[in-house]
Amino acid sequence: MGVQGKSASTQRLADQTEFRGNGKINRKVAIGAVAGLAVLATVLGVAIGVPLSKRQADNTDGSTSLQRARDILSNNPLIDGHNDLPWQYKKQANNSVESIDLEQSLKGIWSPTHTDIPRLREGRVGAQFWAAYVPCDSQYKDAVRLSFEQCDTVRRFVKKFPDTFQFVTSAQEIEDAFAAGKIGSMIGLEGGHSIDSSLATLRMFYDVGVRYMTVTHSCNTPWADNWLEDEKPLAEQEFGGLSAFGELVILEMNRLGMLVDLSHVSKATMEDALRVTKAPVIYSHTSAYTICNHYRNVQDDVLQLTKENNGVVMVNFYDKYINCPPGNTTNATLSQVADHIDHIKDLIGADYVGIGADYDGVATLPQGLEDVSTYPEMFAELIDRGWTDEDLIKLAGGNLLRVFRAAEEVSKQMAADGVPPYEELIDESTLKNKSCRWEGY
């Protein structure tokens, strides 16, 4: 989300929030420097740095770490939790799918651009949650319409490139698409403001293929607190987590089989959702607070609750959530992202961590993770840190598949138990803006 059109509270934190506007990432100098060093190292016969030399070193089977990473991702689906390509279609092409050839590089056509089919293939992406995002300023206005347009954009670009993409709505369909050589494509609804406090609207989004909803974006809904509330004492936060209606939203998502996404929400909302939900949760694009003390990240005590819930934290690559106190440096690096992944693994185990890079939703990224082609480099780094193939397969997508299947089983059980759709309406007195609502309905 770009600076333009932000609310005041979000704009003052523009340097710390995701970017979905028209910025530039100029990498020519950096790429040239790295290339020059590589040539020099070849001539002199010396390593140009520990990470590169390690990845060039042979493993016990004679392969390099990068080759091993590529092999793992070629045989097991890498499922990324969050990519904002649909928003780039909105911002840069007015949702015109027909005018954009994703089979060609978008470098130099869209700026910034992190995603196209050649780079998805190079990055060994096996499945992707495409984010249906609309700005918080659309709340109480046309958020529902704009969100359905984003869903439509996803459905249309997936249909346009059938040799690459396959629209999927279940864990099994992800695996089936991967077996067919396709990138399984799903929709994640990024922000509870998109349903306009309506459980019926939530159900309609499920029917068009939405398989997770982020409970809030960087604004409160009329029933849940977002992460910016953590700047205040808990007693001063609007709801102190979820309202009673917010708890019903979580339960209706469980009944549908829609994943509950706790990225962007306040700590109290995380805790409330983990208390209420009957199914494992996800954090589609969130990192570790202990490594970078930013309220968009997950704190250790909540990580422990997430383990008890059997959920998964899909680590974000945005440099402002990766590189900040207490361990900040001049520039964010791939190694720092690996530190976040390692922290979650070391604290609660390899069964509870995944990847949610946030490509095309942020302006700046760590060195070495500039676009969707770079996932194998991350996995090579983890191989150099001693990760086993089994744990890397869990990180890539195994954990997300487990959580997805568990949510599907909860939905089936609720249906078997005769749980009907939740029909409660939100108390209109809790709405801050009624100007766009018909009083007679």
Side-chain angles (χ1 to χ4, degrees):
M1 170 172 51
V3 174
Q4 292 182 351
K6 289 184 177 182
S7 63
S9 63
T10 306
Q11 187 160 355
R12 63 186 169 79
L13 289 166
D15 63 331
Q16 293 184 318
T17 54
E18 287 97 331
F19 176 90
R20 294 178 173 85
N22 296 316
K24 284 190 176 182
I25 301 175
N26 189 340
R27 298 164 51 212
K28 292 182 180 178
V29 175
I31 291 172
V34 171
L37 283 172
V39 171
L40 180 61
T42 301
V43 172
L44 297 178
V46 297
I48 64 170
V50 174
L52 180 57
S53 64
K54 286 170 69 178
R55 285 172 207 159
Q56 290 175 338
D58 285 346
N59 287 296
T60 56
D61 63 355
S63 65
T64 66
S65 298
L66 187 55
Q67 288 172 338
R68 181 175 154 200
R70 287 171 176 158
D71 287 344
I72 290 170
L73 297 180
S74 294
N75 291 288
N76 302 276
L78 168 63
I79 307 170
D80 182 276
H82 196 89
N83 183 300
D84 278 290
L85 180 64
W87 181 246
Q88 296 303 327
Y89 270 104
K90 171 64 176 177
K91 291 291 290 184
Q92 306 203 51
N94 199 27
N95 284 332
S96 173
V97 169
E98 295 304 314
S99 67
I100 303 299
D101 184 4
L102 278 184
E103 292 181 316
Q104 304 298 319
S105 173
L106 292 183
K107 294 179 182 179
I109 298 174
W110 282 356
S111 183
T113 176
H114 307 142
T115 308
D116 49 46
I117 289 173
R119 285 182 285 178
L120 286 166
R121 290 304 195 187
E122 185 179 351
R124 306 299 198 274
V125 176
Q128 181 67 64
F129 278 101
W130 303 105
Y133 159 81
V134 299
C136 282
D137 286 347
S138 66
Q139 185 163 213
Y140 300 112
K141 299 175 184 176
D142 51 358
V144 174
R145 175 181 64 83
L146 295 173
S147 297
F148 274 115
E149 288 179 353
Q150 286 275 275
C151 294
D152 172 71
T153 296
V154 175
R155 298 295 297 257
R156 287 190 294 124
F157 76 68
V158 167
K159 185 176 182 179
K160 183 178 179 181
F161 301 102
D163 292 338
T164 298
F165 302 121
Q166 182 173 320
F167 195 78
V168 299
T169 58
S170 70
Q172 185 59 53
E173 288 178 0
I174 293 174
E175 295 193 309
D176 292 343
F178 184 74
K182 308 291 183 64
I183 298 173
S185 295
M186 300 156 284
I187 301 174
L189 190 63
E190 191 181 13
H193 60 289
S194 289
I195 67 169
D196 196 19
S197 301
S198 164
L199 298 177
T201 303
L202 176 67
R203 290 188 283 271
M204 292 300 98
F205 275 115
Y206 183 86
D207 284 350
V208 300
V210 170
R211 287 301 179 266
Y212 78 62
M213 183 175 74
T214 315
V215 173
T216 72
H217 194 257
S218 297
C219 54
N220 289 355
T221 65
W223 40 270
D225 287 336
N226 83 101
W227 67 273
L228 289 168
E229 293 292 292
D230 283 332
E231 295 186 322
K232 311 171 187 175
L234 182 60
E236 296 178 15
Q237 296 176 19
E238 185 171 2
F239 302 108
L242 291 172
S243 72
F245 184 82
E247 294 185 1
L248 290 178
V249 172
I250 302 300
L251 292 172
E252 182 64 359
M253 293 173 74
N254 291 163
R255 193 194 66 81
L256 291 167
M258 185 184 290
L259 295 166
V260 175
D261 177 22
L262 299 182
S263 292
H264 280 283
V265 305
S266 70
K267 182 180 181 183
T269 300
M270 293 178 187
E271 292 169 336
D272 281 353
L274 287 163
R275 171 179 53 81
V276 171
T277 184
K278 299 176 181 295
V281 304
I282 69 168
Y283 302 75
S284 67
H285 57 306
T286 296
S287 301
Y289 183 89
T290 292
I291 304 299
C292 174
N293 294 171
H294 194 291
Y295 289 130
R296 267 287 279 108
N297 292 335
V298 190
Q299 298 183 37
D300 282 356
D301 55 343
V302 179
L303 286 174
Q304 295 288 1
L305 295 175
T306 302
K307 178 179 180 178
E308 294 174 14
N309 168 263
N310 289 315
V312 60
V313 180
M314 308 178 82
V315 171
N316 192 322
F317 291 1
Y318 182 34
D319 60 354
K320 297 299 189 295
Y321 303 158
I322 293 297
N323 180 36
C324 65
N328 57 306
T329 61
T330 303
N331 296 303
T333 64
L334 178 155
S335 180
Q336 286 181 308
V337 178
D339 291 343
H340 283 258
I341 296 171
D342 264 341
H343 177 77
I344 296 170
K345 174 178 177 284
D346 292 344
L347 184 69
I348 60 174
D351 292 327
Y352 310 101
V353 62
I355 301 293
D358 208 0
Y359 284 123
D360 275 305
V362 298
T364 50
L365 290 152
Q367 295 174 358
L369 293 172
E370 290 83 2
D371 58 41
V372 297
S373 71
T374 62
Y375 293 106
E377 294 284 352
M378 170 56 65
F379 280 75
E381 170 72 16
L382 296 173
I383 288 169
D384 293 338
R385 295 182 179 212
W387 278 58
T388 66
D389 287 7
E390 179 184 4
D391 286 346
L392 290 168
I393 291 167
K394 292 177 181 178
L395 171 72
N399 292 334
L400 187 279
L401 287 170
R402 171 185 57 78
V403 169
F404 203 167
R405 285 196 171 93
E408 291 169 345
E409 288 303 312
V410 167
S411 175
K412 291 176 184 177
Q413 187 59 54
M414 292 178 75
D417 292 341
V419 178
Y422 292 87
E423 296 183 331
E424 289 82 350
L425 303 178
I426 193 167
D427 182 349
E428 293 285 321
S429 68
T430 65
L431 303 178
K432 293 182 178 179
N433 186 335
K434 302 177 186 178
S435 61
C436 295
R437 288 177 176 262
W438 179 38
E439 293 181 0
Y441 184 73

